[in-house]
Amino acid sequence: MKTPCNVIRDLLPLYQDSVCSPESRQLVAEHLEECETCRAEWERMSAPIPTAHPQVEERTVAQAASSAWKRGRRRAFSKGFVIAAVLVAVISSLIGLWFLFHTPPRELTGRIVETHVNNTTGEVSYVVYTSRGEQFGLIMEEYTKVISFFDAYTDQDFLDGAIYDGLRIYAELGNSKESISNRDGKKLPTYSAQLVEINAYKTPDPILLQDGTQVEVWQKNGGVLYALPKGPELLDVHTPYPPDIALDGVQGLEELSQEAQDNIVAYYEKQGLLYDELEELEAVYQSYLEAGSPASFSTCLILQDTYLSASSPRVIYFTTSLQAPSTYLEVGTAFYRDTGERVDMEDLFTCTSEELEQALLDEAEITDPTLRQEMEEAFDLDRLILYPNLLKVGFEAGSLPSQDATYFLSFDYDDTILERMHAWAVPYSQ
């Protein structure tokens, strides 16, 4: 499952201002390589904003138009305006088409498959293989800045061409350069490198899939990447981080005791992963075979994240979200603020789970008999997600046979919920 476009578009302003995390930056960059719609939105955001001509004001334009009307030239004025508008539209379209087919990429992400060092000039260049199955030439310049996230691979070694294959990079591109050729003699689109980040290296031990296919394992800064030796990147796995339990600035909460923090962290360490990595990899590989070519396949993502979602007088609420090729789900967990011990979701309410279930389905006006019966059978209090102003109930993909994807119901904290919930458990409104 690739990252949804609406998530990427929310990150684009941060990406443009270079204030997002390296992981988010890499995620956006990889998505932009594959998604033409989001790439067009990024290019629109990056384009310079035109400024008004300093000598033309609205009043001047209005006066000119008024004078033309008074002189009986309205028809001529309108005709000229229409013709000018048509010409501008035609010219703009031609310019747009030229840029569409001639604008070079601003950045790329991929694996280095060849290193070239010119013994005469000392020029260092690399052949980079992207997740879309394309190859580009990348030339190091005196001004190229290299950042390595791994001690074993130094910035200077990369600039000198002392590092060969087995590295994955993110690069911001400069000007087009004279094409270099790969080992097969094919001339490649080639660019100077303004910035290079070394973000993964190939480990020595590949994985064998059930059909005997060998898959490379790439260690990332904060995750693992699985890729075919001469093919696309199949699966990008982000390592889950411990939950962020820093509560500074959260309304109604003082700092948690060390005991409470330790108990919360211990709970999530015991919970572990909500997915089976090898099963997901096998499923993604089958999807790649069905796609037929690297160009028609998008790298899949696994991202598990736990965050503080709400707080109440006695309880704090965390949500664990999982985005994986096979599913998207959210799991809510409540902890007592003073001890960090887990609270059973049923203890937050004054009614039984069955009574709450019926009240929520009535509130959501679930009247279709088939869907209602499926929801009654799949209803799970651990799929309750509490936010300051919203309560959600999740039904993960596969739990409702009549639905193709994860299904959520959302509720305001109205009488239906407040009458059935202990006052000490109701989240503070932010």
Side-chain angles (χ1 to χ4, degrees):
M1 177 186 297
K2 70 176 183 180
T3 306
C5 290
N6 60 339
V7 174
I8 294 298
R9 292 183 185 181
D10 288 342
L11 290 173
L12 281 180
L14 301 177
Y15 179 78
Q16 183 183 34
D17 294 337
S18 299
V19 295
C20 56
S21 66
E23 292 81 5
S24 297
R25 182 178 178 180
Q26 178 182 331
L27 195 65
V28 173
E30 293 175 354
H31 184 92
L32 292 179
E33 282 192 19
E34 303 169 355
C35 179
E36 294 184 2
T37 302
C38 290
R39 188 161 61 250
E41 176 67 12
W42 160 244
E43 292 173 353
R44 184 192 66 78
M45 291 177 60
S46 303
I49 299 175
T51 57
H53 194 286
Q55 297 179 348
V56 179
E57 298 179 352
E58 292 182 5
R59 181 179 300 176
T60 305
V61 175
Q63 289 174 345
S66 177
S67 298
W69 279 40
K70 288 178 180 179
R71 290 193 300 267
R73 299 176 182 174
R74 178 169 57 183
R75 181 176 299 176
F77 176 81
S78 300
K79 248 183 213 183
F81 181 81
V82 170
I83 293 172
V86 171
L87 288 174
V88 169
V90 170
I91 293 172
S92 299
S93 299
L94 292 174
I95 293 174
L97 287 172
W98 189 92
F99 276 106
L100 177 64
F101 292 104
H102 293 83
T103 301
R106 290 190 175 95
E107 56 194 18
L108 62 85
T109 299
R111 292 167 283 162
I112 292 175
V113 293
E114 295 179 25
T115 301
H116 297 205
V117 179
N118 188 314
N119 294 327
T120 303
T121 64
E123 182 181 78
V124 176
S125 60
Y126 293 97
V127 175
V128 182
Y129 182 96
T130 73
S131 60
R132 301 177 67 183
E134 301 169 319
Q135 290 190 24
F136 291 90
L138 191 65
I139 294 179
M140 300 299 101
E141 304 282 6
E142 291 182 359
Y143 56 79
T144 302
K145 180 176 178 59
V146 179
I147 300 173
S148 175
F149 293 106
F150 309 100
D151 294 338
Y153 305 100
T154 68
D155 308 351
Q156 194 57 50
D157 281 346
F158 191 87
L159 288 170
D160 293 342
I163 297 177
Y164 297 93
D165 56 4
L167 291 181
R168 181 178 185 269
I169 64 168
Y170 161 82
E172 293 181 0
L173 307 180
N175 298 326
S176 299
K177 305 288 286 187
E178 184 177 349
S179 296
I180 65 172
S181 300
N182 61 13
R183 293 193 185 104
D184 297 330
K186 180 182 179 181
K187 288 191 174 296
L188 306 175
T190 304
Y191 304 93
S192 60
Q194 293 182 328
L195 170 69
V196 175
E197 292 180 356
I198 302 173
N199 55 37
Y201 63 89
K202 185 170 66 174
T203 64
D205 300 319
I207 285 180
L208 288 180
L209 299 180
Q210 293 178 359
D211 66 355
T213 299
Q214 180 174 291
V215 175
E216 296 173 345
V217 181
W218 292 70
Q219 183 63 53
K220 292 174 46 187
N221 177 36
V224 177
L225 185 71
Y226 297 97
L228 295 176
K230 293 184 178 180
E233 298 169 357
L234 297 175
L235 184 62
D236 186 355
V237 183
H238 291 237
T239 301
Y241 289 98
D244 183 2
I245 55 179
L247 306 178
D248 295 339
V250 178
Q251 180 179 344
L253 283 179
E254 64 275 7
E255 185 177 354
L256 288 179
S257 67
Q258 190 61 50
E259 175 193 10
Q261 294 184 46
D262 292 343
N263 285 335
I264 293 172
V265 171
Y267 172 84
Y268 283 108
E269 286 178 348
K270 184 177 180 180
Q271 172 186 271
L273 302 178
L274 302 180
Y275 58 89
D276 186 304
E277 199 162 300
L278 292 181
E279 286 185 4
E280 296 287 350
L281 179 58
E282 290 281 357
V284 169
Y285 176 64
Q286 292 304 315
S287 298
Y288 165 69
L289 294 179
E290 294 171 3
S293 69
S296 56
F297 174 80
S298 296
T299 304
C300 295
L301 173 72
I302 295 181
L303 179 61
Q304 180 174 318
D305 185 31
T306 299
Y307 56 91
L308 176 69
S309 54
S311 63
S312 79
R314 284 184 57 187
V315 181
I316 55 176
Y317 298 98
F318 286 85
T319 298
T320 300
S321 65
L322 170 64
Q323 178 182 337
S326 63
T327 189
Y328 176 84
L329 63 87
E330 294 182 352
V331 178
T333 311
F335 300 91
Y336 288 115
R337 285 173 47 189
D338 53 352
T339 65
E341 297 294 332
R342 182 178 179 275
V343 184
D344 286 337
M345 285 294 191
E346 193 163 4
D347 293 341
L348 304 175
F349 300 92
T350 60
C351 62
T352 65
S353 173
E354 290 74 16
E355 291 170 339
L356 178 64
E357 165 198 308
Q358 294 301 319
L360 293 179
L361 295 182
D362 288 342
E363 177 77 3
E365 299 181 350
I366 304 299
T367 56
D368 180 84
T370 301
L371 180 58
R372 183 162 184 128
Q373 181 178 351
E374 292 174 353
M375 287 186 169
E376 289 173 351
E377 294 174 353
F379 186 84
D380 184 351
L381 281 177
D382 287 334
R383 295 299 186 264
L384 289 185
I385 313 297
L386 289 95
Y387 296 105
N389 298 301
L390 187 70
L391 181 146
K392 287 170 58 178
V393 182
F395 300 89
E396 62 194 76
S399 63
L400 304 176
S402 64
Q403 306 300 314
D404 296 329
T406 299
Y407 197 109
F408 287 99
L409 300 177
S410 299
F411 305 90
D412 295 326
Y413 290 105
D414 58 11
D415 291 343
T416 300
I417 295 174
L418 296 180
E419 290 174 358
R420 294 170 172 82
M421 196 171 190
H422 290 293
W424 50 263
V426 177
Y428 291 113
S429 173
Q430 300 282 339

